[in-house]
Structure formats: C-alpha cells, structure tokens
Amino acid sequence: MTPPPARRRRNAANGTAPSHNLPRRGTVRRAQAISTYGVGSLIAVDHESFVVSGLDEADRSWREDESPVVHERRLARLLDVDFFRLPPASDDTSKDGLRVRRFPLMHSCPECNDLQPHRDFSPPAGRSVCGTCEVDLVPSRFVVACEAGHLDEFPYWQWVHRSPDRDSTRIGKCGGKLRMRTTGRTSSLRSIVISCTCGQVPEVSMEGSFRRNALKDLRLTCQGARPWLGLSATDPAGCGLPVRTLQRGSSSVWQPVLKSALSIPPWSSGRADPLAAHWSKLRKYDNPARIEGYLDAVFGDDKWPLPLEEILTLLDAEQEEDLDGETAPTFDHRYRALRNKEYERLRSGNDESEQSRDEQFVCETPLGDPSVLQPLGITGPMLVKKLREVRALKAFTRLLDAESTTDPKEMPLSQKPLRWLPAMEVRGEGVFLRLDESRLEVWEKAPKVAARVERMRTAHQRVLDQRADDPNLAVSSPATPRMVLVHTLAHVLINEWSLEAGYPSASLRERLYAADDMAGMLIYTATSDSAGSLGGLVVQGEPEFLDSTVRSALRRTEWCSSDPLCMEADAARSTETNLAACHACVMLPETSCEHNNILLDRALLVGTPDAPSLGFFAPLTGG
C-alpha cells in the first residue's frame, strides 16, 4: 500500500508553515505506523522511497505533545516497558511526524540510464530528479536483507563485476559508471540489464539475483547495516549471515511483531496509570509497610496517587498472572499466562450496572436461555459490551514470519533500550463463546481427527524448520485439534456476522483461547474511534441469534465454490499449512486473523464426504 502524495501543510493556529525545516513527504494513518509503516519499514511516496527512522533519543520523531501516552499495565509488564505512545497524528495540526530517511540510496535515471547514489545526480534541494536530465529518479527496485533483520543496498557493482569463476578477489572498483536499462521485451528480470562503462565486463541481467544462494555464491555476507538508525549505522555485534535479494515492496522486507492485551479488571478503570514508572520497584517489596515507606519517600506523606488498598489489589492481580513453578518462564509462557487471565475474566464477566462510567471492560451474561446452544456443543456465551485493546509494536523481522520467530531473530526499534513502545489503543465490542469441554475431549481423541491434524502440524513444522537456521531452535507448531477447530469456527462466524450484522469482515477480529484448559474465542470489533461500539455485534451473541448464526454458518461451510479441490486439499506439500480452506470459503482479510490464514480446515467442522464423522458439528450436518 502506498500512502497518499505529500500535501502542503500549515499550522492551524497561526497559518504559518511548521517550525522545523524538514520537508513533508506524505501522510499515513496512525494505525499504519504500527502495522504497515512502522520503524524499519520501507515506505513509497510518489516516486520516492524511504525507511522509517528508529526511536532513539538522537532521532526522536515522536514528540510528547503529538504522541499521547497510553497505559496498559499487563502488556507493559510483559514487554518490560513503563508505558506506550500513540504514533504522531497525521493531520493539519501536526507540527512534526514520523521521521524517515531516504532508502535505498541507489537510484537510476530513465533518461540517461545512470545507476548511482542519489546525491551523485546533483538533484535540486528538496527534489528527486536528475540534475542533468531533469526527470524523476527511480529508487532501486532491489534491496538485500538477512534473517537477523538487517537491510542494505543491492550490491550492483559486485553483481556486474563478478568473475566467471566466482573469485571474489577479482571483484573491485574499476573507475567506470554503472548503467541500468530495460530491454522492453518482457516484464521479467531478464529484461533489466546492468552494465559498466569500464568496458571490462559484459552487461548482465538481474535474472538469477533472487536465487537463495545468488549472493552467497559471490561470497557476499551481511554487513549488519541498519539504515533506519542512520546512514552509517551498523550492528556493533556484526552479522555475517547470508543475504537475500528482495523487491523493496515485498512483504518479506518488513513484518511487525505485534503483541496485544485486553484491559480487564482491575486495570480497566479508564484512568491514566499514576504509578507506571514504579510498579517494577513496588513488586520487590514483600509487605505493606515497605510499600508505604517507598511511597512516602517518592510522593511524600498523604500525597499518594492511589490508596494503599488499591495498590495492594493491583499487585495481587499481577502475581496471579505469574506462572507457578516456572523459575525462568519464556516470553511465550508469559504471553500465554496473559491470555489465560483474559479467558478467566471473559468467562466470569462483570455487570455494567455495578461499574463506573469509565470502566473499559463490560462483559455480561445474555438475557436469553443459553440451553438452546447445547445441541451445538457451544456454551457460556458472553456479551462484551465494552472492551479496550492495546496493540504494541514490539519489534520487526525480515524474511521471517513474525508469528513464528524467536527473540534473537527480532530487530528492536531503537539502538538503545527505551522504556516505551509504539502502540495503538482501540475500543470496541464483541461476543465471547466456548465449546463444550466434555464433547470436545471425546471428539479430539478420535483417531481420524488426530491423524488429520497431525498432517497439518507436520507440514507447518516443516515450514518452521526451513525458516530456522537450526531446526533444533525452531518454534513448535501450535496446531492441535482444538486449536484448528476453534480457529476455523471463528473464521466462519466472522464471515456469517459480516453478512448479518452489517460489518465488513475486515472490521471484525478474532482472539483465540485454545490450550489444554481453554477452548473459546472472542470475536470483536476494534477501531480507534467509536464506530466499533454501536451494538450491532453484541446483539448477535444472544442465544437465539447465536443458534441461528451457527447453523447458517455450518450450512454455508458444507460447500465451497472450489470444491471438490478445496475439500480434497493435501497438506503433504511443504508449503501447505491448511487443508479444506481457501479464499472462497473460510479465509479472511489478514487484519482479522491471528495466524495469517494458516491452520484452517472446515472439514473439522462439518466432516468430509468420505468421513462425515470428522466434523465436531457432524450431528447437525447429517454426519
């Protein structure tokens, strides 16, 4: 996605230009600064290309007056920060915004065909045109990246001057100039030709540059470049990993590592957290007297921002999320504990009439009779009338799926550790429901069900192993019968509610709770304004409506316009991580799915023609 062209801006207060001298290049929505154009990503504006700068103090582009503080204690504790900040607003009142740096620096002129760094074209100030031809310069289509998250220019010089025997000692500068032209015969890489005016080497095409070992054969490795932190910024730890050629617009160039949490009691009162910077220290004290002493020393007598009883309640809530018996829990374990607490709160709920007006989490039992859902194997529906979710950008990855990476493969957003992270605060409503545990336990132990899911798990694990340098360190696939079932059911319900409730499917999201002791889902709207809290989705959670919705969704799921190919899909191929699932039946927009549209199988809902009993809902569909 390309943001809209730059427009001239003026200060709304006095009609003058912004106080800084940096030119405006374009606009993006606040949410895009987290999910699409975050730190380290490449952004195209008109015919120019930039990389979004880091968060370091020396390059701070998130002004405090334009990036409001957001508090979500549970998520802040998980990510080891004190608070979060909203991205700078992109409107006419903004005095600053996200800082970007020109990248890649290599450009070509379509008129004279020169291929060289941007500054060597001697462009006029503030413009990206060839100083000789006065035509718009074209940023390099190609960049290189490694799995550690580094990003660099494509090595055009080495690509052209490579020797026939691949001897790197013969690769060097020759005093000539590089040229790039297109033959126009095809749209393939073969038509993009690079040459050097030195005359010592023949011109070569870009064909083959995307091979996995193309640059490795030239004995080129990653130099640890981090252009989002500065033109000369390199990783002090070095790198040396293999680099791969990518199109600069490829999704593999930048994938955000997003983590989110729902605001649940007692952290959902709606007020700012007055002790945001003190919780880590307060947790070290093991009795109220020591806590009182710390608060007196920091705030003085009788000036505490919260009563002692409330502070103790919040500390107890944190301790409840700690993992018993885990001496050194991993990040994944702690994130799972956060989800477990949400699951408990969604099951128990809280009554709106007993809460203050500022309460950000309201979850109530439906008024209708939930027993009508028993034949479906669904239980415990809850109406989430108000919810608040904070989504934080923890880091980013390159070449790797952000959902299946580990901490060492994640690139931080700043050179020095910061006590905050970028985040979005979204509000909405939703419906929470669970599957009947007794019925689920019988179904998931069926040999045919276990064998079918094992095929998916094996295929997914194969992909994860291929992406990891060391298969022994690869992330384990989360595929289990109940996880795939809950995931697929969430997708078909989102598709059904997008028709019945009037919400486009892209505005609905899933939040899955699938583990040994959990089997539920929250389907909700979540937007940065009030559009997601209009009541249209909550009413669908009433048992009589939910019963009708599930039955209709199952009927729709029994067939697909791509059948029989869709239903007969095979996960034996290395890249297939779904079975009976395609864009014509259960797949959703990527913003709606927690797992990037993988680990889906509608056969686990309704069965197959050859094995109808596979479906959890087979008794309803005639299986």
Side-chain angles (χ1 to χ4, degrees):
M1 179 185 296
T2 301
R7 62 184 182 187
R8 190 176 181 183
R9 301 189 179 205
R10 297 199 174 269
N11 188 295
N14 54 24
T16 60
S19 58
H20 57 71
N21 295 321
L22 299 176
R24 298 269 182 175
R25 295 297 187 180
T27 61
V28 296
R29 298 191 304 274
R30 260 183 166 163
Q32 288 180 307
I34 300 295
S35 60
T36 310
Y37 301 121
V39 171
S41 67
L42 296 184
I43 179 171
V45 181
D46 295 335
H47 57 276
E48 298 180 84
S49 176
F50 305 92
V51 62
V52 180
S53 296
L55 302 178
D56 292 281
E57 294 290 341
D59 188 39
R60 177 64 62 83
S61 59
W62 296 52
R63 295 166 54 107
E64 293 186 5
D65 56 339
E66 296 188 12
S67 302
V69 170
V70 173
H71 294 287
E72 171 44 56
R73 176 59 193 160
R74 297 171 64 244
L75 187 60
R77 182 186 171 207
L78 174 75
L79 299 176
D80 193 25
V81 296
D82 294 331
F83 57 88
F84 305 96
R85 286 193 181 279
L86 294 179
S90 183
D91 55 35
D92 289 330
T93 64
S94 174
K95 299 177 182 178
D96 203 347
L98 294 177
R99 300 287 179 89
V100 296
R101 303 174 186 272
R102 189 178 300 281
F103 187 86
L105 295 180
M106 291 297 288
H107 284 60
S108 62
C109 173
E111 188 71 24
C112 62
N113 293 331
D114 281 354
L115 174 65
Q116 58 190 0
H118 183 269
R119 64 178 180 274
D120 292 347
F121 284 98
S122 302
R127 300 182 62 193
S128 182
V129 299
C130 178
T132 302
C133 307
E134 297 187 352
V135 298
D136 291 336
L137 296 175
V138 180
S140 169
R141 283 175 51 188
F142 312 107
V143 295
V144 297
C146 78
E147 292 186 355
H150 301 117
L151 182 69
D152 209 344
E153 306 276 349
F154 181 82
Y156 287 104
W157 201 279
Q158 289 88 340
W159 184 252
V160 173
H161 291 80
R162 64 186 188 273
S163 59
D165 58 0
R166 309 296 189 190
D167 184 358
S168 62
T169 61
R170 297 181 59 186
I171 301 176
K173 291 189 176 181
C174 59
K177 280 190 173 184
L178 294 178
R179 298 284 177 86
M180 172 184 283
R181 67 181 180 87
T182 57
T183 63
R185 295 170 186 161
T186 68
S187 58
S188 67
L189 294 175
R190 183 181 300 178
S191 294
I192 302 176
V193 179
I194 314 295
S195 61
C196 180
T197 59
C198 69
Q200 299 176 13
V201 291
E203 64 179 11
V204 297
S205 74
M206 291 296 295
E207 186 177 26
S209 59
F210 281 76
R211 286 189 303 107
R212 191 177 189 90
N213 294 324
L215 301 181
K216 183 178 180 181
D217 292 344
L218 298 181
R219 302 183 184 180
L220 297 177
T221 58
C222 179
Q223 302 301 306
R226 300 183 294 179
W228 61 95
L229 300 178
L231 298 181
S232 59
T234 57
D235 196 327
C239 187
L241 290 177
V243 288
R244 300 234 344 242
T245 305
L246 298 169
Q247 297 262 16
R248 59 181 167 88
S250 168
S251 61
S252 296
V253 171
W254 187 85
Q255 286 200 27
V257 179
L258 296 172
K259 299 299 176 183
S260 66
L262 300 181
S263 294
I264 60 174
W267 300 97
S268 55
S269 61
R271 61 157 182 257
D273 187 353
L275 295 172
H278 302 278
W279 289 113
S280 58
K281 295 180 180 178
L282 289 171
R283 278 175 54 83
K284 298 178 181 179
Y285 299 119
D286 54 2
N287 61 70
R290 297 189 67 184
I291 292 176
E292 289 182 8
Y294 175 83
L295 294 173
D296 285 338
V298 174
F299 299 101
D301 295 339
D302 301 326
K303 294 182 181 181
W304 298 357
L306 294 176
L308 178 61
E309 291 184 1
E310 188 170 352
I311 294 174
L312 294 176
T313 299
L314 295 174
L315 288 173
D316 288 341
E318 283 194 351
Q319 291 178 358
E320 289 179 3
E321 293 192 11
D322 290 339
L323 293 170
D324 294 334
E326 292 282 350
T327 56
T330 65
F331 180 88
D332 289 338
H333 282 103
R334 291 185 289 122
Y335 193 44
R336 197 174 304 125
L338 180 145
R339 288 291 185 101
N340 289 346
K341 200 62 180 178
E342 291 178 3
Y343 184 72
E344 293 175 10
R345 177 55 66 174
L346 287 166
R347 289 186 62 173
S348 59
N350 63 342
D351 194 326
E352 183 174 17
S353 62
E354 299 176 0
Q355 308 302 321
S356 68
R357 183 176 181 181
D358 294 330
E359 174 61 42
Q360 297 171 329
F361 180 84
V362 175
C363 180
E364 298 181 346
T365 304
L367 298 176
D369 182 7
S371 64
V372 300
L373 299 173
Q374 285 182 349
L376 299 176
I378 292 176
T379 185
M382 299 293 285
L383 309 182
V384 187
K385 296 184 176 180
K386 291 175 65 175
L387 65 82
R388 171 182 179 263
E389 180 192 22
V390 175
R391 302 175 196 155
L393 178 61
K394 175 177 180 278
F396 63 86
T397 65
R398 305 194 196 277
L399 297 175
L400 297 171
D401 181 2
E403 292 297 322
S404 60
T405 189
T406 55
D407 285 346
K409 295 293 186 180
E410 296 175 358
M411 179 60 70
L413 307 181
S414 60
Q415 194 164 3
K416 300 177 181 178
L418 297 179
R419 297 304 302 168
W420 62 276
L421 287 173
M424 279 300 300
E425 179 185 40
V426 292
R427 303 174 187 273
E429 63 184 17
V431 175
F432 173 74
L433 56 91
R434 295 180 287 125
L435 297 180
D436 183 84
E437 280 285 348
S438 59
R439 180 170 164 180
L440 181 60
E441 288 178 2
V442 173
W443 171 84
E444 65 186 351
K445 292 178 181 177
K448 289 185 178 180
V449 172
R452 187 172 178 90
V453 174
E454 179 60 23
R455 290 163 56 194
M456 299 176 65
R457 192 205 65 78
T458 301
H460 188 216
Q461 192 63 55
R462 188 184 303 121
V463 173
L464 296 176
D465 291 345
Q466 290 174 350
R467 291 172 177 169
D469 291 336
D470 184 353
N472 296 323
L473 300 178
V475 177
S476 298
S477 172
T480 63
R482 74 170 57 196
M483 181 269 168
V484 178
L485 174 65
V486 169
H487 190 198
T488 310
L489 179 60
H491 276 232
V492 300
L493 286 179
I494 287 176
N495 280 330
E496 194 69 21
W497 276 331
S498 70
L499 299 175
E500 294 190 6
Y503 289 102
S505 57
S507 69
L508 299 177
R509 291 173 58 88
E510 66 180 9
R511 195 167 181 85
L512 307 180
Y513 302 90
D516 293 340
D517 55 348
M518 297 190 297
M521 70 193 74
L522 171 66
I523 298 175
Y524 64 106
T525 65
T527 66
S528 54
D529 54 30
S530 60
S533 305
L534 302 180
L537 183 60
V538 164
V539 71
Q540 301 298 322
E542 289 291 342
E544 61 271 22
F545 291 118
L546 187 56
D547 176 71
S548 175
T549 297
V550 173
R551 293 179 184 274
S552 175
L554 292 175
R555 286 194 298 270
R556 202 182 304 274
T557 305
E558 288 181 320
W559 66 275
C560 170
S561 59
S562 296
D563 280 339
L565 295 178
C566 177
M567 184 60 79
E568 297 175 356
D570 186 1
R573 290 174 291 177
S574 62
T575 58
E576 291 296 333
T577 51
N578 291 327
L579 285 178
C582 69
H583 286 285
C585 52
V586 300
M587 287 190 179
L588 294 175
E590 290 187 1
T591 55
S592 301
C593 179
E594 283 195 316
H595 294 284
N596 294 325
N597 275 325
I598 64 172
L599 305 179
L600 296 166
D601 183 12
R602 60 189 173 93
L604 295 185
L605 299 180
V606 298
T608 67
D610 296 333
S613 61
L614 274 173
F616 179 80
F617 299 99
L620 301 176
T621 58

